Amino acid sequence: MPKVLHVIEDLECGGHAEQLRLVASATRAAGESVAVASLRRPGPVAAPLCAAGVPVEWLGWRSAVDPYAAVRLRRLARRLRVDAVQTWDAASDRAVRWSRAGRGKAVWAAVDRGGAAGPRRRLAGADLVFGPYEAADGAASAAGRLVRTPNAVDPTIAGAHTDRAAARERLRAGGIRLGDDAVVILAVARQESPEAVRQLAWAADLIRVVNPAIRLLIAGGGRGSAAAQRFAAAATEPGLVSWLGPWPDLRDLYAAADVAWCSGSGGPQSTPALEACLAGLPLVVAGAAAAPIDGIIVADLADRAGWARATLAALKSPRTAPPAAALADHAPDVVAKRQVEGIAEAMSRPRC
C-alpha cells in the first residue's frame, strides 16, 4: 500500500487538522505507513497524532516563500520514500508546489474541504483531489481527478449525549460559567469571517428576548476572533456569548449543549455538523441545500428572525441517539481507506 506524507500549515485546533488527525490515525491503526509534516510549529493536535503512532515533523516554515523549509520538505519526502504527498490547505499546496515534493514518482493528492460554494484553491498541479462535494473542484472533476470522500467524524463523540449534568460540571470546573438551567447553544467554527460571527451574536440576542436563559458558546480560533469578540461585547447583553477559543476536546461541549449551530460554508457535511449529529444534538445549519440527515434544520443565517425561529423549533426537539447508519460512511477508517485506494489508483496511471 502507498506510503503517504500529509502536509499541513499547522496543527492548531480546526477542521483541517482534525480531519488529518482522524485519517492519519486510522491509516496508522490499519498498519499502513503514514507521517505528518507541519509547516509551522505544531499545535495541540500534534499530541494525539504522536500518541496514535504517527510521526510529526516540524518544517519551520517562517514566511510565504521559504526556500530553506522547501528544501527540508523535499528531503523529508525523499528520506521517507513516500509514494504520495497529501496537502490539506492553501499553504501546504504552495509548499508542495514550490518544493517539488510531489514531483517525480510521488503522487500529489490534495484535500479540498471548502464548502460547495466556498472559495477554491489553486489545485491545477494536483494528481487527484479528495472532496466531499460535487463542485469541490470543477477542473478536477472534469479531468477525472476528483475522488468523492466525505469528512470523517470522531466516533468517541457518539457517547456525548448521555450525561449533560456531569459535562456541565466539568466545564464549570474548567472555568466556564454555566448554570444547570441554562439553555446552551454551541457553535464550533473558525472565526475567519467576522460577519458570520456577528450574525450569530445578533441571532442569539434575538432569541434571548424570547428565552432569557439562552447562552451561546463559540469554540474555535481564527483571524477574525478578536474583532468578533469586541463586537459581541459591545452589541449583546453581558454573559450572553462566551468565547472559548480553540478547544481540543469537544465532547463535553456537545454533551452540555441543547442545540448546535453550524454557520460555515461546509453546511450539513461539515465536521461540526456531523459531530453534532453524532452527539445526538438538534442542529441548525446555514445553507440552502437539503440536509442529508434527518433532524437537521437548514436556515438562512442572514435572516436573523428565520434563524431564531429555526433555533426555537430545534430546542423543542429531544436529543436522540446518534444515527449510526447515516454516519457510517464518515467513519475515519472508511474515509482513510477510500483516500488510500484513490492514491493507489492514481499511482497506477501514467504520469507526465
Side-chain angles (χ1 to χ4, degrees), residues 82-84 102-107 347 351:
V82 298
D83 300 303
R103 300 292 180 88
K105 295 182 179 180
V107 168
M347 290 171 57
R351 304 177 64 208

Side-chain angles (χ1 to χ4, degrees), residues 16-342:
H16 294 318
E18 176 65 9
Q19 289 296 314
L20 187 155
R21 179 187 73 83
L22 293 171
V23 169
S25 299
T27 304
R28 185 69 188 90
E32 307 297 341
S33 179
V34 62
V36 172
S38 177
L39 301 183
R40 305 189 188 281
R41 186 183 297 276
V45 181
L49 277 169
C50 293
V54 180
V56 176
E57 298 273 352
W58 174 35
L59 297 175
W61 207 282
R62 291 180 173 83
S63 61
V65 180
D66 190 332
Y68 299 103
V71 170
R72 287 192 288 272
L73 174 57
R74 183 166 62 248
R75 288 176 176 173
L76 174 64
R78 289 176 177 174
R79 174 166 58 85
L80 297 177
R81 297 181 180 180
V82 298
D83 300 303
V85 178
Q86 185 163 316
T87 57
W88 288 83
D89 46 37
S92 56
D93 295 338
R94 291 192 299 269
V96 168
R97 189 180 295 113
W98 292 336
S99 68
R100 298 177 178 268
R103 300 292 180 88
K105 295 182 179 180
V107 168
W108 173 16
V111 179
D112 185 8
R113 298 181 55 251
R120 298 275 66 83
R121 285 158 37 199
R122 292 178 56 195
L123 301 175
D127 296 294
L128 72 162
V129 177
F130 297 122
Y133 305 99
E134 289 286 0
D137 185 304
S141 181
R145 294 186 292 121
L146 177 63
V147 179
R148 287 290 305 282
T149 53
N151 286 323
V153 61
D154 188 346
T156 64
I157 292 176
H161 67 290
T162 55
D163 197 340
R164 185 177 69 171
R168 292 192 176 190
E169 183 61 37
R170 287 191 293 269
L171 292 176
R172 283 193 292 268
I176 300 177
R177 299 176 60 184
L178 196 64
D180 287 333
D181 58 345
V183 179
V184 178
I185 301 171
L186 174 64
V188 179
R190 288 182 66 87
Q191 281 91 63
E192 302 294 349
S193 170
E195 177 60 29
V197 181
R198 283 196 289 267
Q199 294 286 358
L200 292 180
W202 275 326
D205 207 34
L206 186 60
I207 297 171
R208 191 174 188 270
V209 175
V210 180
N211 191 336
I214 285 291
R215 288 285 307 280
L216 173 60
L217 305 182
I218 300 181
R223 291 168 292 184
S225 58
Q229 289 181 47
R230 289 193 297 268
F231 167 82
T236 62
E237 290 289 331
L240 172 62
V241 182
S242 295
W243 303 85
L244 308 181
W247 202 268
D249 190 344
L250 296 169
R251 285 174 293 184
D252 278 344
L253 293 181
Y254 284 118
D258 296 287
V259 67
W261 280 355
C262 184
S263 60
S265 62
Q269 293 285 1
S270 67
T271 304
L274 294 170
E275 288 176 343
C277 288
L278 195 61
L281 268 180
L283 176 64
V284 181
V285 175
I293 299 173
D294 292 340
I296 297 179
I297 301 175
V298 179
D300 182 4
L301 182 57
D303 177 9
R304 291 192 293 274
W307 186 268
R309 287 193 297 270
T311 303
L312 292 172
L315 285 170
K316 296 178 182 178
S317 303
R319 295 191 71 135
T320 59
L327 292 168
D329 288 342
H330 300 276
D333 56 336
V334 174
V335 177
K337 181 180 179 182
R338 192 170 299 179
Q339 291 187 0
V340 168
E341 289 174 346

